[in-house]
Amino acid sequence: MSALPVVFADIEAAANRIEGHAHRTPVLTSSTIDRQTGGSVFFKCENFQRAGAFKFRGAFNALSKLGESERRRGVLTFSSGNHAQAIALSGRLLSVPTVVVMPQDAPEVKVRATREYGAEVVLYDKHETTREALGKKISDERGLVTIPPYDHGDVIAGQGTAALELFEKTGPLDYFFVCVGGGGLLSGCAAAASTRSPNCRVIGVEPEAGDDAARSFKTKTLQTVMNPETIADGARTPSLGKLTFPMVLALVHDMMTVSDKELATTMFYLWERMKIVVEPTGALAAAAALSGRVDLRGKRVGVLISGGNVDMAAIPRLLAIANK
């Protein structure tokens, strides 16, 4: 376990670093959902995190560890939205200039918030180039430090603090469902679970259209996907990373996928029953937990709600998908 790029001690150090800056988000329960599943389900609600998603944890931890010369030069990242906002807000709080590369079709609510937090936003056409290629070009030209959205040790450690807080609140769990795009959150949460609740089965969840992580997990060979068409915009990453892939293989117990219809239905169900605003990507783990494909009767279950940055203009389309 010590050979992994991020270990439990890194997560504990990150928790100390972000203390007083990141919100200690609530853990919510629902008697209706407990009756439906037959288990005791605990929702770690990162939709109440600063900038509206778990991403603030990793971004603030990573920027906090920069040296003075690196802070003066500034940082660059690429993101469809939540990591973008997190880097922008962390940069503002720590007086670090930030540049964010975002796809032209990123939710407007996320683009607007990223700019309002003070970042320079560079939009690109995802059909003509990749965010990694454009990001490298800009960072090389300007001498910026690149902090990617998931494949970075300090980012992974920061994301793992969400699970650390959950286990502090609930004690050991039998299952823990976590959404996965590039695997930063899943890797960090699995590392925390391996120490805090070693008998807990950690299950990663991604959209059917972007099932690269599930295929990678099952084949033990890194798989990719290009620009998957899914409402889970935060999980449109091309693949797991060089750091996250080995962590997922070592620490995660299973992977699941859910359809866009399941995702939209679950999102609105959480809105209606739990009165919490969750974005499509944020509902991935809940959609798997509520799918009935895992027997949760008599089990203690953690579910990571990853974000709540909903593009209100997209609601009619999301309702149409839910009602198909």
Side-chain angles (χ1 to χ4, degrees), residues 40-112:
S40 298
V41 184
F42 303 93
F43 294 88
K44 178 60 171 170
C45 294
E46 286 295 290
N47 49 319
F48 293 109
Q49 188 51 263
R50 296 187 76 163
F54 74 93
K55 293 284 192 178
F56 180 79
R57 297 173 179 275
F60 192 89
N61 185 52
L63 264 66
S64 295
K65 293 190 68 178
L66 294 176
E68 280 305 314
S69 65
E70 293 173 315
R71 292 191 185 201
R72 284 195 299 272
R73 293 192 339 248
V75 303
L76 176 139
T77 196
F78 33 85
S79 166
S80 63
N82 285 338
H83 181 67
Q85 294 172 83
I87 287 289
L89 176 56
S90 298
R92 190 180 76 182
L93 295 172
L94 295 167
S95 299
V96 178
T98 54
V99 178
V100 181
V101 175
M102 302 182 75
Q104 290 175 345
D105 62 350
E108 178 56 33
V109 64
K110 296 181 179 182
V111 176
R112 185 169 62 249

Side-chain angles (χ1 to χ4, degrees), residues 38-273:
S40 298
V41 184
F42 303 93
F43 294 88
K44 178 60 171 170
C45 294
E46 286 295 290
N47 49 319
F48 293 109
Q49 188 51 263
R50 296 187 76 163
F54 74 93
K55 293 284 192 178
F56 180 79
R57 297 173 179 275
F60 192 89
N61 185 52
L63 264 66
S64 295
K65 293 190 68 178
L66 294 176
E68 280 305 314
S69 65
E70 293 173 315
R71 292 191 185 201
R72 284 195 299 272
R73 293 192 339 248
V75 303
L76 176 139
T77 196
F78 33 85
S79 166
S80 63
N82 285 338
H83 181 67
Q85 294 172 83
I87 287 289
L89 176 56
S90 298
R92 190 180 76 182
L93 295 172
L94 295 167
S95 299
V96 178
T98 54
V99 178
V100 181
V101 175
M102 302 182 75
Q104 290 175 345
D105 62 350
E108 178 56 33
V109 64
K110 296 181 179 182
V111 176
R112 185 169 62 249
T114 302
R115 286 184 170 130
E116 288 175 353
Y117 285 135
E120 175 190 344
V121 173
V122 178
L123 298 176
Y124 74 99
D125 184 340
K126 65 184 183 183
H127 300 292
E128 294 183 358
T129 186
T130 66
R131 61 188 192 173
E132 291 84 0
L134 180 57
K136 184 178 189 308
K137 179 176 182 292
I138 296 172
S139 63
D140 287 348
E141 289 173 352
R142 304 193 194 181
L144 304 174
V145 178
T146 299
I147 298 181
Y150 55 86
D151 210 30
H152 188 289
D154 297 329
V155 170
I156 294 169
Q159 318 306 28
T161 62
L164 189 63
E165 290 177 11
L166 175 65
F167 290 116
E168 287 173 357
K169 185 80 170 179
T170 65
L173 297 171
D174 297 302
Y175 287 97
F176 187 18
F177 293 84
V178 183
C179 71
V180 54
L185 177 65
L186 179 60
S187 297
C189 285
S194 68
T195 295
R196 283 289 192 234
S197 184
N199 294 320
C200 177
R201 287 185 61 82
V202 178
I203 300 177
V205 188
E206 63 184 346
E208 278 182 356
D211 66 343
D212 57 285
R215 288 185 285 114
S216 298
F217 181 81
K218 289 176 172 59
T219 64
K220 306 297 186 281
T221 302
L222 188 63
Q223 306 287 314
T224 62
V225 64
M226 288 303 295
N227 301 321
E229 291 298 328
T230 172
I231 60 174
D233 62 275
R236 291 176 183 158
T237 49
S239 70
L240 295 173
K242 292 180 180 178
L243 302 184
T244 61
F245 182 40
M247 291 189 70
V248 167
L249 289 183
L251 301 173
V252 174
H253 298 84
D254 203 358
M255 296 287 294
M256 295 178 64
T257 63
V258 295
S259 68
D260 273 8
K261 177 176 172 58
E262 288 178 294
L263 199 49
T265 301
T266 301
M267 184 188 80
F268 288 118
Y269 184 77
L270 295 173
W271 288 25
E272 292 170 354
R273 294 302 179 123

